[in-house]
Amino acid sequence: MLPETLVRDHTIYACVMGSRAFGLATDGSDTDRRGVFVAPTPLFWRFEKPPTHVEGPAEEQFGWELERFCELALRANPNILECLHSPLVEYVDDTGRELLALRGAFLSRRAHETFTRYALGQRKKLEAHVRLRGAPRWKHAMHLLRLLMSARDLLRTGALTLDVGEQREPLLAVKRGEVPWPAVESWMNRLAAEADDAARHSPLPQEPDRARVEAFLMRVRRASALQPDAYDEVVQGVVPGRGVR
């Protein structure tokens, strides 16, 4: 079964991410699409397993197989958690609605570590560019500030909100290079300290609800296996001598 077939026929949730989801889009902004698909259960019965993710088939499109998506979300991967909370949902079926209803089960104080680690890595790249070029990549600096805001607010409130709201213009000013780098650094330091403080008093649980998510995944796999045409679909996607593509 071709990867694009999995995306086309088995997507349960699709959304727009990036600047458009964050409320930071401008005329030249791309439209980044993300999604989750469910590989038919019989595909897992073969030696060659289905892909954990698929790039495309459209430009700026990326999708994860449900199990991989859940694994990453349970680890509080920032990109995955934000995908679950996009305000721009393009498609969702009944299984996708079940996944969205589980958003709270994925959230935990682990987010403090993962968001902070990711932010630190991005900041080191910005600082390296400043040393080499005299200035950072301003668009990347804007998105790092947005990520730090998101992490702080998640830890404070227990809710993940993507749209930056009233911070849109200050952040776009950073993107345009209108804010001096020392001021941006100071802003980053302040947001990181606020996130650290929020983590100490966060309403989030220490760990995600792994059992609840696993029960959902098992229901989805079982339902897929019991579909009358599930096995036939897999057989039709097999290329003789090559297995499932």
Side-chain angles (χ1 to χ4, degrees):
M1 183 174 292
L2 294 172
E4 54 263 35
T5 302
L6 289 170
V7 175
R8 185 191 67 214
D9 297 341
H10 299 282
T11 289
I12 62 169
Y13 170 67
C15 67
V16 172
M17 287 298 299
S19 295
R20 297 190 184 282
F22 303 143
L24 292 169
T26 58
D27 291 341
S29 295
D30 294 330
T31 300
D32 300 320
R33 289 184 164 87
R34 300 292 180 264
V36 182
F37 62 88
V38 176
T41 298
L43 281 177
F44 293 92
W45 300 343
R46 303 186 59 84
F47 288 123
E48 188 176 348
K49 307 304 181 187
T52 59
H53 61 271
V54 174
E55 291 191 49
E59 292 186 13
E60 308 298 337
Q61 184 179 6
F62 192 96
W64 295 269
E65 206 284 323
L66 177 63
E67 184 172 341
R68 179 59 172 166
F69 186 87
C70 289
E71 287 176 348
L72 293 172
L74 286 168
R75 297 177 196 171
N77 179 289
N79 291 324
I80 299 295
L81 290 182
E82 290 188 334
C83 181
L84 268 176
H85 292 78
S86 173
L88 303 177
V89 175
E90 291 194 317
Y91 174 80
V92 61
D93 66 8
D94 289 343
T95 305
R97 278 184 277 273
E98 282 192 69
L99 176 64
L100 293 181
L102 281 173
R103 284 183 292 196
F106 293 107
L107 297 178
S108 71
R109 295 192 186 189
R110 287 187 181 187
H112 180 231
E113 177 187 357
T114 56
F115 276 68
T116 298
R117 185 169 63 240
Y118 182 78
L120 180 60
Q122 295 303 305
R123 182 162 180 176
K124 286 181 177 178
K125 293 178 182 179
L126 289 171
E127 291 170 343
H129 209 262
V130 171
R131 291 193 296 271
L132 290 172
R133 308 284 184 176
R137 291 186 173 93
W138 292 110
K139 178 180 177 179
H140 293 187
M142 175 192 72
H143 281 298
L144 177 50
L145 287 166
R146 183 211 62 78
L147 179 73
L148 289 168
M149 290 177 187
S150 182
R152 177 200 61 191
D153 294 344
L154 169 61
L155 292 164
R156 279 178 175 176
T157 67
L160 185 56
T161 302
L162 269 61
D163 194 292
V164 298
E166 63 184 16
Q167 293 299 318
R168 171 181 164 85
E169 290 308 319
L171 287 169
L172 288 178
V174 171
K175 181 182 179 181
R176 294 190 295 265
E178 297 172 359
V179 183
W181 173 240
V184 173
E185 282 190 301
S186 177
W187 194 358
M188 290 177 180
N189 291 338
R190 184 171 70 254
L191 288 170
E194 290 171 352
D196 290 344
D197 181 66
R200 289 189 284 270
H201 312 285
S202 179
L204 292 173
Q206 289 290 345
E207 299 292 333
D209 193 341
R210 185 180 181 86
R212 186 179 167 201
V213 174
E214 190 169 52
F216 161 69
L217 179 61
M218 291 175 66
R219 289 196 307 274
V220 173
R221 293 281 190 246
R222 186 181 299 112
S224 174
L226 293 175
Q227 288 182 4
D229 59 348
Y231 185 73
D232 290 340
E233 182 182 8
V234 170
V235 171
Q236 291 168 7
V238 173
V239 176
R242 290 180 55 190
V244 177
R245 289 183 293 175

